[in-house]
Amino acid sequence: MTAVRHAFRLLTLCFGLLAAPAAMAAGPQPWELGFQQAVTPVMESITSLHNLLLVIIIAICVFVLALLLYCIFRFRESSNPTPSKTTHHTVIEVIWTVVPVLILVVIAIPSFRLLYFSDVVPDADMTLNVTGRQWYWSYAYPDHGGFTFDSNMVPDDQLTEGQKRLLSVDNPVVVPVDTTVRVIISASDVLHSWAVPPFGLKTDAVPGRANETWFRAEAEGIYYGQCSELCGVNHGYMPIEVRVVSKDRFDAWLDQARQQFADGGSAGGMQVATAPGTAE
């Protein structure tokens, strides 16, 4: 069993080394492994549960592999010419029934806690309305004057320095840091899904129905997502860009946005896109 423990530690260490660069990077990175860096309490809980499950899965795999190797060598024909005819073993049968149940209980407790935590929206500081369309997103700020705007992907031939292909948009969502945001999500045509991995969000946008979720970003920055429900030929071209800024910068952006989007249009990109303090 000492060899099994060493193998388990080695596997855990190797995975940690491989996942570390991705965990430290901001935003999606080429060839990254693991999740993007968590910036909300929900995503932190998802990452914690994932790490627990990873340990359990590795332990089970190593145990089963060790058991198979033991059986292969211990009961091979050359060393065991007269095989046992035992068909039942009460203790072993109880163990292989009870132990998986206990493992599932260990998994279920944090799983249900996380489901409740992510599903129940706490007292929100502001509301963001999200509407999925073919093939772009519309956003509204009902608590800040009710202005709305459309958010479209920046085409390849219009990308500027610092913008990400297939992820940057002309009008990003802007929210203040350390603020609980309630998100009301719907769609005007077909099914969409508003998904932002660093926030731990992935909620369907359904025509004629309002789904609710929430997030509280704890670090300023630029965070990306994409529609995660097959919605048509341009499904892969309706990204999500969320800029988390300081509360002072958010108030300044609100003054600008109320004028820029007073008619609910989708005018050119917001000046906040180049504001300091929102590094990639």
Side-chain angles (χ1 to χ4, degrees):
M1 294 304 294
T2 301
V4 172
R5 285 197 297 268
H6 287 318
F8 172 71
R9 292 171 182 170
L10 180 61
L11 286 173
T12 304
L13 176 61
C14 290
F15 182 86
L17 292 175
L18 288 172
M24 295 301 294
Q29 303 295 323
W31 301 98
E32 71 176 337
L33 297 175
F35 296 130
Q36 294 182 36
Q37 185 175 9
V39 294
T40 67
V42 170
M43 189 58 197
E44 290 173 356
S45 298
I46 292 174
T47 303
S48 177
L49 177 62
H50 167 268
N51 293 338
L52 171 64
L53 295 179
L54 182 65
V55 172
I56 293 174
I57 290 170
I58 291 177
I60 292 173
C61 290
V62 171
F63 173 74
V64 172
L65 176 61
L67 199 60
L68 285 173
L69 293 175
Y70 173 78
C71 292
I72 290 172
F73 289 98
R74 172 64 179 82
F75 298 107
R76 67 186 186 275
E77 184 180 5
S78 60
S79 62
N80 192 48
T82 306
S84 171
K85 295 183 179 180
T86 302
T87 58
H88 294 81
H89 193 292
T90 303
V91 175
I92 291 179
E93 291 185 3
V94 170
I95 290 174
W96 74 37
T97 300
V98 173
V99 170
V101 171
L102 294 177
I103 293 174
L104 292 177
V105 170
V106 171
I107 294 174
I109 292 174
S111 296
F112 289 137
R113 185 184 296 118
L114 174 57
L115 284 173
Y116 182 84
F117 180 54
S118 62
D119 188 58
V120 178
V121 179
D123 293 336
D125 300 311
M126 62 173 287
T127 299
L128 174 68
N129 288 347
V130 179
T131 303
R133 308 183 190 276
Q134 291 180 310
W135 286 273
Y136 60 95
W137 298 97
S138 293
Y139 299 103
Y141 287 70
D143 299 336
H144 300 88
F147 63 89
T148 65
F149 59 87
D150 297 334
S151 180
N152 294 274
M153 185 189 75
V154 178
D156 290 355
D157 58 357
Q158 297 180 22
L159 288 171
T160 60
E161 184 178 358
Q163 290 185 319
K164 296 182 179 291
R165 179 177 179 271
L166 299 180
L167 290 176
S168 293
V169 300
D170 54 358
N171 296 310
V173 177
V174 181
V175 296
V177 70
D178 293 326
T179 300
T180 301
V181 181
R182 177 176 57 187
V183 187
I184 308 297
I185 303 173
S186 186
S188 64
D189 36 49
V190 298
L191 290 175
H192 301 278
S193 183
W194 203 72
V196 185
F199 293 174
L201 294 182
K202 186 176 183 181
T203 303
D204 283 349
V206 182
R209 175 175 177 175
N211 288 329
E212 185 180 51
T213 186
W214 71 283
F215 67 87
R216 182 184 180 87
E218 298 177 333
E220 295 183 38
I222 306 174
Y223 306 102
Y224 300 95
Q226 292 176 301
C227 177
S228 296
E229 188 73 51
L230 187 58
C231 58
V233 64
N234 287 331
H235 159 68
Y237 304 99
M238 50 183 303
I240 301 160
E241 181 177 344
V242 182
R243 293 179 178 263
V244 181
V245 299
S246 67
K247 295 183 179 181
D248 290 340
R249 197 178 308 283
F250 177 72
D251 291 337
W253 173 81
L254 280 177
D255 294 337
Q256 171 195 335
R258 289 191 185 102
Q259 300 176 13
Q260 184 173 358
F261 303 114
D263 59 353
S266 57
M270 302 179 187
Q271 293 180 8
V272 74
T274 57
T278 56
E280 297 277 351

